Coordinates of all heavy atoms in Angstrom, one line a residue:
A1 N 0.8 -1.2 0.0 CA 0.0 0.0 0.0 C 0.8 1.2 0.1 O 0.3 2.4 -0.1 CB -0.9 0.0 1.2
L2 N 2.2 1.2 0.0 CA 3.1 2.3 0.1 C 4.0 2.4 -1.1 O 4.4 1.5 -1.7 CB 4.0 2.2 1.3 CG 3.2 2.0 2.7 CD1 4.3 1.7 3.8 CD2 2.5 3.3 3.1
T3 N 4.2 3.8 -1.4 CA 5.1 4.0 -2.6 C 6.3 4.8 -2.2 O 7.4 4.7 -2.8 CB 4.4 4.7 -3.7 OG1 3.8 5.9 -3.2 CG2 3.3 3.8 -4.3
D4 N 6.2 5.6 -1.2 CA 7.3 6.4 -0.7 C 8.4 5.5 0.0 O 8.2 4.9 0.9 CB 6.8 7.5 0.3 CG 8.0 8.3 0.8 OD1 8.3 9.2 0.1 OD2 8.3 8.2 2.0
P5 N 9.7 5.7 -0.6 CA 10.7 4.8 -0.1 C 11.0 5.0 1.4 O 11.3 4.0 2.1 CB 12.0 5.3 -1.0 CG 11.4 5.9 -2.2 CD 10.1 6.5 -1.8
W6 N 11.0 6.2 1.8 CA 11.2 6.4 3.3 C 10.1 5.8 4.1 O 10.4 5.0 5.2 CB 11.2 7.9 3.6 CG 11.3 8.2 5.0 CD1 10.3 8.7 5.8 CD2 12.4 8.0 6.1 NE1 10.7 8.9 7.1 CE2 12.0 8.4 7.2 CE3 13.7 7.4 5.9 CZ2 12.8 8.3 8.4 CZ3 14.4 7.3 7.0 CH2 14.1 7.7 8.2
E7 N 8.9 5.9 3.8 CA 7.7 5.3 4.5 C 7.9 3.8 4.4 O 7.6 3.1 5.4 CB 6.4 5.8 4.0 CG 6.0 7.1 4.3 CD 6.0 7.4 5.8 OE1 5.4 6.5 6.5 OE2 6.4 8.4 6.2
R8 N 8.3 3.3 3.3 CA 8.5 1.8 3.2 C 9.5 1.3 4.1 O 9.3 0.3 4.8 CB 8.7 1.5 1.7 CG 7.6 1.7 0.8 CD 7.9 1.4 -0.7 NE 8.4 0.1 -0.9 CZ 7.7 -1.0 -1.3 NH1 6.4 -0.9 -1.4 NH2 8.3 -2.2 -1.5
L9 N 10.7 2.0 4.1 CA 11.7 1.5 5.0 C 11.3 1.7 6.5 O 11.5 0.7 7.2 CB 13.0 2.4 4.8 CG 14.2 2.1 5.6 CD1 14.7 0.6 5.5 CD2 15.3 3.1 5.2
L10 N 10.7 2.7 6.8 CA 10.3 2.9 8.2 C 9.2 1.8 8.6 O 9.3 1.4 9.7 CB 9.7 4.4 8.3 CG 9.5 4.8 9.8 CD1 10.8 4.7 10.7 CD2 9.0 6.2 9.8
T11 N 8.4 1.5 7.7 CA 7.4 0.4 7.9 C 8.1 -0.8 8.2 O 7.7 -1.6 9.2 CB 6.4 0.3 6.7 OG1 5.6 1.5 6.6 CG2 5.5 -0.9 6.9
V12 N 9.1 -1.3 7.4 CA 9.8 -2.6 7.7 C 10.4 -2.5 9.1 O 10.4 -3.4 9.8 CB 10.7 -2.9 6.6 CG1 11.6 -4.0 6.9 CG2 10.1 -3.0 5.2
A13 N 11.1 -1.3 9.3 CA 12.0 -1.3 10.6 C 11.1 -1.3 11.7 O 11.3 -1.8 12.8 CB 12.8 0.0 10.4
V14 N 10.0 -0.5 11.7 CA 9.1 -0.5 12.9 C 8.5 -1.8 13.1 O 8.4 -2.3 14.3 CB 8.0 0.6 12.6 CG1 6.8 0.5 13.7 CG2 8.6 2.0 12.7
H15 N 8.1 -2.4 12.0 CA 7.5 -3.9 12.2 C 8.6 -4.8 12.9 O 8.2 -5.5 13.8 CB 7.1 -4.5 10.8 CG 6.7 -5.9 11.0 ND1 5.4 -6.2 11.3 CD2 7.4 -7.1 10.9 CE1 5.3 -7.6 11.4 NE2 6.5 -8.0 11.1
L16 N 9.7 -4.7 12.4 CA 10.8 -5.6 13.0 C 11.3 -5.3 14.4 O 11.8 -6.2 15.1 CB 12.0 -5.7 12.0 CG 11.8 -6.3 10.7 CD1 13.1 -6.3 9.9 CD2 11.5 -7.8 10.9
T17 N 11.1 -4.0 14.8 CA 11.6 -3.8 16.2 C 10.5 -4.1 17.2 O 10.8 -4.2 18.4 CB 11.8 -2.2 16.4 OG1 10.5 -1.5 16.1 CG2 12.9 -1.7 15.7
G18 N 9.3 -4.5 16.7 CA 8.2 -4.8 17.7 C 7.7 -3.5 18.2 O 7.0 -3.6 19.3
A19 N 8.0 -2.4 17.6 CA 7.5 -1.1 18.2 C 6.1 -0.9 17.9 O 5.5 0.0 18.5 CB 8.2 0.1 17.5
V20 N 5.4 -1.8 17.3 CA 4.0 -1.8 17.1 C 3.6 -3.3 17.3 O 4.4 -4.2 17.1 CB 3.5 -1.4 15.7 CG1 3.8 0.1 15.7 CG2 4.1 -2.2 14.6
G21 N 2.3 -3.6 17.7 CA 1.8 -4.9 17.8 C 2.3 -5.7 19.0 O 2.7 -5.1 19.9
S22 N 2.2 -7.0 19.0 CA 2.5 -7.9 20.1 C 4.0 -8.3 20.1 O 4.7 -8.1 19.0 CB 1.7 -9.1 20.0 OG 2.2 -10.1 19.1
D23 N 4.4 -8.7 21.2 CA 5.8 -9.2 21.4 C 6.0 -10.7 20.9 O 7.0 -11.1 20.9 CB 6.2 -9.1 22.8 CG 6.3 -7.6 23.2 OD1 6.4 -6.8 22.4 OD2 6.1 -7.4 24.5
A24 N 4.9 -11.3 20.6 CA 5.0 -12.8 20.4 C 6.0 -13.1 19.2 O 6.8 -14.0 19.3 CB 3.6 -13.4 20.1
A25 N 5.9 -12.4 18.2 CA 6.8 -12.6 17.1 C 8.2 -12.5 17.4 O 9.1 -13.3 17.1 CB 6.5 -11.7 15.8
W26 N 8.5 -11.4 18.2 CA 9.9 -11.1 18.6 C 10.4 -12.2 19.6 O 11.6 -12.7 19.6 CB 10.2 -9.8 19.2 CG 11.1 -9.1 18.3 CD1 10.8 -8.2 17.2 CD2 12.5 -9.1 18.3 NE1 11.9 -7.8 16.6 CE2 13.0 -8.3 17.2 CE3 13.4 -9.7 19.2 CZ2 14.3 -8.2 17.0 CZ3 14.8 -9.6 19.0 CH2 15.2 -8.8 17.9
R27 N 9.5 -12.7 20.5 CA 9.9 -13.7 21.4 C 10.2 -15.0 20.6 O 11.1 -15.7 21.0 CB 8.7 -14.0 22.4 CG 8.6 -12.9 23.5 CD 7.7 -13.2 24.5 NE 7.4 -12.1 25.4 CZ 6.2 -11.7 25.9 NH1 5.2 -12.3 25.4 NH2 6.2 -10.7 26.6
L28 N 9.4 -15.3 19.7 CA 9.7 -16.5 18.8 C 11.0 -16.3 18.1 O 11.8 -17.2 17.9 CB 8.6 -16.7 17.7 CG 7.3 -17.3 18.3 CD1 6.2 -17.3 17.2 CD2 7.6 -18.6 18.8
W29 N 11.3 -15.1 17.7 CA 12.6 -14.8 16.9 C 13.7 -15.1 17.9 O 14.7 -15.6 17.6 CB 12.6 -13.4 16.5 CG 13.7 -12.9 15.5 CD1 14.5 -11.8 15.8 CD2 14.2 -13.6 14.4 NE1 15.4 -11.7 14.8 CE2 15.3 -12.8 13.9 CE3 13.9 -14.7 13.8 CZ2 15.9 -13.1 12.8 CZ3 14.5 -15.1 12.6 CH2 15.6 -14.2 12.1
V30 N 13.7 -14.6 19.2 CA 14.6 -14.8 20.2 C 14.8 -16.3 20.4 O 15.9 -16.8 20.6 CB 14.3 -14.0 21.5 CG1 15.3 -14.3 22.6 CG2 14.5 -12.5 21.2
E31 N 13.7 -17.0 20.6 CA 13.7 -18.4 20.8 C 14.4 -19.1 19.7 O 15.2 -20.1 19.9 CB 12.3 -19.0 21.0 CG 11.8 -18.6 22.3 CD 12.4 -19.2 23.5 OE1 12.9 -20.4 23.5 OE2 12.5 -18.4 24.5
S32 N 14.1 -18.7 18.4 CA 14.8 -19.3 17.3 C 16.3 -19.0 17.3 O 17.1 -20.0 16.9 CB 14.2 -18.9 15.9 OG 14.5 -17.5 15.6
W33 N 16.7 -17.9 17.8 CA 18.1 -17.6 17.9 C 18.8 -18.6 18.9 O 19.8 -19.2 18.7 CB 18.3 -16.2 18.5 CG 18.2 -15.1 17.5 CD1 18.1 -15.2 16.1 CD2 18.2 -13.7 17.8 NE1 17.9 -13.9 15.6 CE2 17.9 -12.9 16.6 CE3 18.2 -13.0 19.0 CZ2 17.9 -11.6 16.6 CZ3 18.1 -11.6 19.0 CH2 18.0 -10.9 17.8
R34 N 18.1 -18.8 20.0 CA 18.6 -19.7 21.1 C 18.8 -21.1 20.5 O 19.8 -21.7 20.6 CB 17.7 -19.7 22.2 CG 17.7 -18.5 23.1 CD 16.7 -18.6 24.3 NE 17.1 -19.7 25.2 CZ 16.3 -20.7 25.4 NH1 15.2 -20.8 24.9 NH2 16.8 -21.6 26.2
W35 N 17.7 -21.5 19.7 CA 17.9 -22.9 19.1 C 19.0 -23.0 18.1 O 19.6 -24.0 17.8 CB 16.5 -23.3 18.6 CG 15.7 -23.9 19.7 CD1 15.3 -23.4 20.8 CD2 15.3 -25.3 19.6 NE1 14.6 -24.3 21.5 CE2 14.6 -25.6 20.8 CE3 15.3 -26.4 18.8 CZ2 13.9 -26.6 21.2 CZ3 14.8 -27.6 19.1 CH2 14.1 -27.8 20.3
A36 N 19.0 -21.8 17.3 CA 20.0 -21.8 16.2 C 21.5 -21.8 16.8 O 22.4 -22.3 16.0 CB 19.8 -20.5 15.4
S37 N 21.7 -21.4 18.0 CA 23.0 -21.6 18.5 C 23.5 -23.0 18.8 O 24.6 -23.3 18.9 CB 23.1 -20.7 19.8 OG 22.4 -21.2 20.8
R38 N 22.5 -23.9 18.8 CA 22.7 -25.3 19.1 C 22.4 -26.3 18.0 O 22.7 -27.4 18.0 CB 22.0 -25.7 20.4 CG 22.3 -25.0 21.6 CD 21.5 -25.5 22.8 NE 20.1 -25.6 22.6 CZ 19.2 -24.6 23.0 NH1 19.7 -23.5 23.4 NH2 17.9 -24.8 22.9
D39 N 21.6 -25.8 17.0 CA 21.0 -26.8 16.0 C 21.3 -26.1 14.5 O 20.9 -25.1 14.3 CB 19.5 -26.8 16.3 CG 18.9 -27.8 15.3 OD1 19.0 -27.5 13.9 OD2 18.3 -28.8 15.7

């Protein structure tokens, strides 16, 4: 839905920081890091 490059970049970055929405995705990401260190 976005065409402005700055808005697109900010949208990706805000999503990935967990600065919006729930923490579940980031907790899963952290758990996957933990498993990745061993598997």
Side-chain angles (χ1 to χ4, degrees):
L2 301 173
T3 57
D4 178 75
W6 171 251
E7 288 298 320
R8 289 174 60 88
L9 178 61
L10 192 57
T11 295
V12 173
V14 166
H15 175 84
L16 289 177
T17 59
V20 294
S22 80
D23 295 337
W26 243 91
R27 286 189 187 134
L28 284 172
W29 189 230
V30 170
E31 288 296 319
S32 71
W33 283 349
R34 288 181 60 242
W35 274 61
S37 70
R38 300 183 306 267
D39 184 296

